[in-house]
Amino acid sequence: MNTLIFRTAAPFLSALMMLFSIFVLLRGHNAPGGGFIGGLIAASAIAIFGIASGVSAVRRAIFFHPMSIAGAGLLLSALSGFISIFAHVPFMTAHWIYPVIFGVEVPISTVTTFDIGVYLVVFGSISSIFLALEEKDHV
């Protein structure tokens, strides 16, 4: 199924899916969606790109090993929970900070950082599975 049309359309489709996965990730705080489904969409984009271009192209595109991405996400999610312990409130209690970036106040919460961590865990682990299956298919 490695046609010219698929090889041509796959990078555009993958980029669009990655953009949509970030939208779903950021929308998930206040509406349906979040880190899990966003990570699945991103991993699906990587799988489509891998089918069209090969595993080596995907490994060059994502820079880091997928399990390292999953580990970083797990660390970020855990740190999001431990912030509440250091503030002497129950584990996973949400905290907000309001930094001013380029003159605009941007609210950031531990809920958002937890969702980003879940996104990275799901993206890294599912991408690792996809890449392993695609490598076995071509050998």
Side-chain angles (χ1 to χ4, degrees):
M1 190 176 118
N2 201 1
T3 65
L4 178 63
I5 295 171
F6 182 62
R7 284 193 316 258
T8 304
F12 298 110
L13 181 62
S14 295
L16 185 63
M17 288 176 70
M18 291 297 282
L19 186 63
F20 182 66
S21 76
I22 293 170
F23 168 75
V24 169
L25 166 68
L26 296 176
R27 181 179 184 267
H29 176 66
N30 295 322
F36 187 81
I37 191 66
L40 287 177
I41 294 168
S44 298
I46 290 297
I48 288 172
F49 186 69
I51 291 169
S53 302
V55 174
S56 60
V58 172
R59 292 202 185 276
R60 284 191 310 269
I62 61 175
F63 297 114
F64 299 105
H65 192 277
M67 291 310 291
S68 297
I69 296 171
L74 185 61
L75 180 65
L76 181 61
S77 293
L79 289 176
S80 296
F82 285 122
I83 289 173
S84 61
I85 290 177
F86 295 128
H88 304 291
V89 293
F91 185 67
M92 296 297 284
T93 301
H95 290 282
W96 291 84
I97 60 170
Y98 300 93
V100 176
I101 301 172
F102 299 116
V104 177
E105 186 178 68
V106 180
I108 300 174
S109 73
T110 56
V111 176
T112 305
T113 57
F114 179 80
D115 260 352
I116 293 170
V118 170
Y119 177 92
L120 293 174
V121 168
V122 172
F123 172 72
S125 58
I126 300 298
S127 295
S128 180
I129 292 169
F130 283 154
L131 291 174
L133 290 174
E134 289 176 11
E135 281 178 338
K136 296 295 181 192
D137 188 37
H138 294 291
V139 172

